[in-house]
Amino acid sequence: MEQVNAKDVLPMRWFARSYEMHDYNLLFIRWLADFCGVDVLYERYRFSYKTAMCVCCAFFGAVFTIYSFFYYYPDIYKMCEVFALFGIVLQGSPKLYFAYYHQRFYRLQCERLRNLHYKYRNHEKLHAKLLLLTNRIHILTKLLALVFVFGALGYTLYPLYMYFAHGELVLIDAMRLPWIDADTYNGYVVTTIVQIVMLYVGCLGMAAADTIILLFVANLIAYVYVFKNDLEELNTMVNAEDRNEQQIRRKVRIICSQHQDIIEYESDLDERYIVICFTQIIGSVSSLSGYLFLVYMVNFIPGYGLILATICQLLEFCLLGTVLTVKNEEIIQAIYNAHWYRLQRPELACFALMLHKSQNFIEMTVGGFAPLNLETFVAIMNRIYTYFMMLISFIE
């Protein structure tokens, strides 16, 4: 893959081929990653000063938030703001780690998806579905990136509002730097610059990480489209008056191979994202609880945008987990509905094996402890509400 350039990122466009839209969508994601020095899809990618800056932001973000937590003690509101910031750092750090140490996985997956879309570029029925899917993925990608930008702007514009409306110098966030007094003018400038760098590197980095998982999981739908289409073609072949057993046997082998590819694809996603999903949920709960409390108690203005960003981020992961579960159920149903009873014994054995493997399908989980789906999202929101009410009761 070629090195991405910021000038290559164009306004939203539409293409006639799904593989072109896939490439265009991937270009946007790579631009986000390249800003943070983590464009691991570049074949000659190397650790650079941008990567070092991103690593420093993650490391010192954790150190500075822990320091700030004790610095503000016992101010419950400032401690709560720092706690919410630590939740953001907790989400971003594993994403950075897995992106850097699993570069080959990301490149292979993207190439695999690109080949899938390119292979069916002239298939009238399948291509229409794949093109619609890639268009929707692209829209969701842009919307998700806008949510992160909106959250970052909420923090950035708050000090400007406080300065022009009330004449106060207010930090972008509550994070303090050791040995630097932010209450002095020079200390304020240094702290603000560090916070701006961390804020935008973190937001764009997490936008890249979340949009790439959106790309990977949502494209499972493309695999299911292809799988179900081949089953339909097999049904037509076995019901034909003049059956060609050799073609039927070849088609069954293709279907079995596709089923195995789907299982491997899901296994790879689960292996790479099980830790990320766990830290995502923990970090989102921490951040959302803190921001809700601050908005309710002290009308914390940046909290409004950050609440929206956190809810959208949490909803994205739970929706993707639901997509994985629903598509696995569709695969099972499609296999059951196939006219497998009209096949010969060797082909029947292949279908029996597919049915057996499909019974224990892979799903996204919260660190292996609970499934990641919309039911989990509702449970998490209920738990956040409980924590929120506990904090309110504690203060009152």
Side-chain angles (χ1 to χ4, degrees), residues 45 95 99 107 130-131 138 148 164 173 208-209 213 226 284 296 303 308 312 315 365 378 391:
Y45 169 78
K95 295 174 183 178
R107 285 194 285 268
L130 294 176
L131 181 59
H138 184 66
F148 279 99
F164 289 107
D173 57 55
I213 187 176
V226 173
S284 296
Y296 179 82
L308 174 62
C312 290
L315 181 61
T365 62
V378 174
L391 284 172

Side-chain angles (χ1 to χ4, degrees), residues 290-317:
Y291 291 135
L292 283 171
F293 176 74
L294 290 169
V295 167
Y296 179 82
M297 296 298 296
V298 295
N299 192 28
F300 182 59
I301 294 177
Y304 292 98
L306 293 165
I307 287 173
L308 174 62
T310 306
I311 290 177
C312 290
Q313 192 181 22
L314 183 60
L315 181 61
E316 177 215 354
F317 274 78

Side-chain angles (χ1 to χ4, degrees), residues 113 200 215 266 272 324:
L113 291 175
Y200 282 92
L215 180 74
E266 293 178 341
R272 299 308 187 281
L324 201 66

Side-chain angles (χ1 to χ4, degrees), residues 34 85 277:
D34 183 62
L85 289 172
C277 290

Side-chain angles (χ1 to χ4, degrees), residues 41 80 109 171 197 216 245 250 252 269 289-290 335-336:
L41 298 181
C80 194
Q109 292 294 72
L171 291 172
V197 172
F216 287 164
E245 296 299 333
R250 187 182 303 115
V252 171
L269 292 180
S289 301
I335 296 174
Y336 271 117

Side-chain angles (χ1 to χ4, degrees), residues 112 116 119-120 220 222-231 234 250-268 324 327-336 338 349-362:
R112 188 176 181 181
L116 175 70
K119 180 179 179 181
Y120 295 96
L220 175 66
Y223 279 101
V224 176
Y225 282 158
V226 173
F227 182 75
K228 292 170 68 175
N229 180 77
D230 280 339
L231 284 175
L234 177 64
R250 187 182 303 115
K251 176 62 75 172
V252 171
R253 290 175 181 173
I254 291 173
I255 291 172
C256 289
S257 177
Q258 288 175 345
H259 188 255
Q260 185 63 33
D261 289 341
I262 291 174
I263 293 175
E264 291 178 359
Y265 186 79
E266 293 178 341
S267 299
D268 288 340
L324 201 66
K327 290 304 167 182
N328 278 319
E329 291 174 352
E330 285 187 13
I331 289 173
I332 296 175
Q333 192 63 39
I335 296 174
Y336 271 117
C350 292
F351 265 78
L353 181 61
M354 284 194 295
L355 283 173
H356 174 72
K357 290 184 176 181
S358 298
Q359 300 306 310
N360 298 313
F361 57 79
I362 297 169

